[in-house]
Amino acid sequence: MKCLVIGSGGREHAISKKLTASPLVEAVYCAPGNAGMKKDGIRLVDLVETDHEGLIEFARSEGITWTFVGPEIPLLNGIVDDFQAAGLAIFGPTKAAALIEGSKSFAKDLMTRQGIPTAESQTFTSFDEAREYIEAKGAPIVIKADGLAAGKGVVVAETLEVAVAAASEMLENDRFGVSGQRIVVEEFLSGEEFSLLAFVRDTEVYPMVISQDHKRAYDGDQGPNTGGMGAYTPVPQIPQAMVDQAVEGVLKPAVRGMKDIGRSFTGILYAGLIATPDGPKVIEFNARFGDPETQVVLPRLKSDLAEIIDRLLTGKSVELTWETEGYHLGVVVAAEGYPENYQKGALLPDFSADREVSVYYAGVKEQEKELVAAGGRIYLVEASGQTIEEAQEKIYSVLKVKNTDHTFYRRDIGSKALVQK
Ligand code: AMP
Ligand code: GLY
């Protein structure tokens, strides 16, 4: 098989690397990919993820067996519909199905219809009505831009002032453009977060192992929300019964509900959940793999990823096997200033002699044969261990001796699991 992966982040590096490990795969291409991927034998294609025509032309001329879509933007732009219309195999939800991620109010309506547990909420386009609701509900309360905002359109407000200001920014000042012209105001849920992802074909759900992301920029969950600063799997403080409840009570009714309204979902479905005393509750759905969750979840997958995707695309049944021992942990190294304004151009350290860790590249580019920082999240260092402490030790001991000037990383990835043990 020849596989094409669309996207350029650490997630796409992890997906592509897993595909190259398959004996069924002759070549893996990533469009546009990033220069850091080349060390793992991934071939870069100089086409951006929004260039559907160019990508279709490439897939055709190169004889690509199937294409895998990493990020949400091409999905919501209808890349799957366009490939299918061109008679090409592609794995991911159609534009109609990707709306489960593209509109929070759409996802809320789906959950209400299907009886899926989630935070109580209401949707607004009028600031005055939103303010009235916020004042009636009280803080803490959560304000969310309805559309895509790269993980930054959510404000967890501790006070009424912050909540009202966030609603005003989105509805009155167009802070997130069209994405924020409609907002969802949501009950604050407290509890441990976890990410449950599944391979989905229509109404068939094949759950993956759970993981936990770290959304805040700084140690101790301080600072602004980011795309994710690190992740680990498994998450021992979340009992298996909670996971089973989420598969039965969230994932399965969600895909059934999508089919019922003519938006059948095939692809990766991601449920962001909070473990509450009343069971798991949904805080978001994504229509794709998570970043950085993928960089720790896929290394635990013992089955052949290329074979899984191929079988899903050809109507065959799928079985997933996972490593059952130990932990995988990943720590993101980000540019100073991320998620706000950040500097580019920092030289990246060389990890080629560090056998205990794997590095997944994201915001990087090549400059005179060296990798330099070119994005907010630059790379992720991943390791496994019998215990979380062992995996942490492997990663942090390597990072400590590298030149990480002008970058930062959290020192407490995975530590929530230790406190609760
Ligand atoms: P989202 O982009 O919807 O995943 O939200 C970003 C982050 O905000 C989540 O990972 C949570 O940490 C937090 N969050 C979102 N919704 C809620 C909620 N209803 N209650 C508490 N925290 C939330
Ligand atoms: N790590 C969260 C996300 O991918 O949306």
Side-chain angles (χ1 to χ4, degrees):
M1 292 194 268
K2 285 181 169 180
C3 308
L4 169 63
V5 176
I6 294 175
S8 63
R11 164 183 54 208
E12 288 76 22
H13 189 171
I15 295 164
S16 302
K17 184 175 173 182
K18 197 75 183 175
L19 293 174
T20 60
S22 166
L24 304 171
V25 171
E26 175 193 326
V28 178
Y29 299 85
C30 193
N34 69 63
M37 296 179 179
K38 288 194 285 188
K39 73 178 170 66
D40 287 320
I42 298 155
R43 307 180 195 190
L44 305 189
V45 182
D46 192 15
L47 290 168
V48 290
E49 62 194 41
T50 46
D51 180 5
H52 298 193
E53 262 176 46
L55 291 163
I56 286 170
E57 177 51 37
F58 173 81
R60 231 190 233 130
S61 63
E62 203 61 41
I64 296 294
T65 316
W66 42 256
T67 298
F68 187 103
V69 190
E72 62 277 19
I73 289 174
L75 293 170
L76 281 154
N77 285 344
I79 196 162
V80 169
D81 311 64
D82 290 348
F83 267 65
Q84 286 173 346
L88 295 170
I90 184 163
F91 189 74
T94 58
K95 180 176 179 162
L99 202 62
I100 197 169
E101 168 164 7
S103 165
K104 296 203 190 270
S105 56
F106 170 84
K108 280 288 183 189
D109 292 344
L110 173 79
M111 289 188 267
T112 306
R113 276 200 307 279
Q114 295 301 105
I116 295 169
T118 183
E120 189 195 274
S121 73
Q122 219 159 292
T123 302
F124 298 95
T125 49
S126 144
F127 170 67
D128 288 332
E129 286 169 24
R131 187 182 52 201
E132 216 169 282
Y133 180 81
I134 292 165
E135 283 170 353
K137 290 289 170 187
I141 193 158
V142 182
I143 315 297
K144 300 184 171 184
D146 187 58
L148 294 184
K152 292 160 205 159
V154 174
V155 176
V156 178
E158 305 283 346
T159 65
L160 279 181
E161 291 69 40
V162 172
V164 170
S168 159
E169 280 285 291
M170 293 180 199
L171 291 174
E172 297 191 309
N173 297 340
D174 279 351
R175 168 86 200 277
F176 298 102
V178 182
S179 285
Q181 282 169 4
R182 184 185 308 170
I183 64 167
V184 172
V185 179
E186 188 172 275
E187 165 199 9
F188 173 82
L189 297 174
S190 73
E192 287 263 344
E193 278 183 64
F194 64 104
S195 305
L196 171 63
L197 286 73
F199 296 94
V200 174
R201 177 178 54 207
D202 193 29
T203 55
E204 289 165 67
V205 173
Y206 302 95
M208 300 186 213
V209 292
I210 64 164
S211 55
Q212 187 173 63
D213 188 8
H214 297 60
K215 290 256 166 72
R216 301 297 193 100
Y218 313 130
D219 285 11
D221 287 339
Q222 301 297 306
N225 267 324
T226 68
M229 293 298 295
Y232 64 102
T233 175
V235 190
Q237 66 275 33
I238 306 290
Q240 185 57 38
M242 181 77 73
V243 180
D244 295 342
Q245 236 180 313
V247 171
E248 296 303 321
V250 174
L251 293 180
K252 289 185 180 173
V255 301
R256 254 182 265 122
M258 292 296 280
K259 187 176 174 82
D260 287 347
I261 56 171
R263 293 175 186 261
S264 164
F265 190 101
T266 289
I268 306 293
L269 182 60
Y270 166 134
L273 298 152
I274 292 197
T276 77
D278 304 326
K281 290 193 180 178
V282 175
I283 51 174
E284 66 166 342
F285 281 116
N286 292 320
R288 48 160 177 88
F289 267 115
D291 190 338
E293 288 94 330
T294 309
Q295 293 91 309
V296 295
V297 167
L298 283 186
R300 275 187 73 195
L301 179 63
K302 285 167 69 177
S303 318
D304 183 327
L305 178 63
E307 189 183 359
I308 294 168
I309 304 300
D310 202 63
R311 293 181 69 90
L312 286 168
L313 284 169
T314 51
K316 300 187 187 110
S317 67
V318 168
E319 232 176 276
L320 307 180
T321 48
W322 300 92
E323 272 177 18
T324 51
E325 300 268 302
Y327 294 86
H328 282 260
L329 197 93
V331 176
V332 169
V333 176
E336 230 164 54
Y338 174 76
E340 308 299 335
N341 294 331
Y342 53 82
Q343 288 238 322
K344 297 182 180 179
L347 199 61
L348 265 59
D350 176 24
F351 293 93
S352 54
D354 298 293
R355 302 259 164 256
E356 298 276 14
V357 301
S358 302
V359 178
Y360 294 102
Y361 290 98
V364 300
K365 66 172 188 194
E366 213 165 26
Q367 206 168 285
E368 288 157 22
K369 304 229 158 118
E370 304 270 14
L371 283 182
V372 300
R377 293 189 292 178
I378 307 168
Y379 59 92
L380 172 143
V381 181
E382 187 265 344
S384 63
Q386 276 310 305
T387 61
I388 287 181
E389 290 96 324
E390 188 189 336
Q392 286 178 326
E393 166 63 20
K394 283 183 187 170
I395 295 167
Y396 289 123
S397 66
V398 165
L399 278 173
K400 208 162 58 189
V401 297
K402 301 290 178 188
N403 180 354
T404 53
D405 289 355
H406 308 297
T407 65
F408 74 100
Y409 56 89
R410 281 182 60 160
R411 321 269 157 155
D412 64 347
I413 302 300
S415 293
K416 255 192 217 159
L418 303 176
V419 177
Q420 308 227 346
K421 221 158 57 177

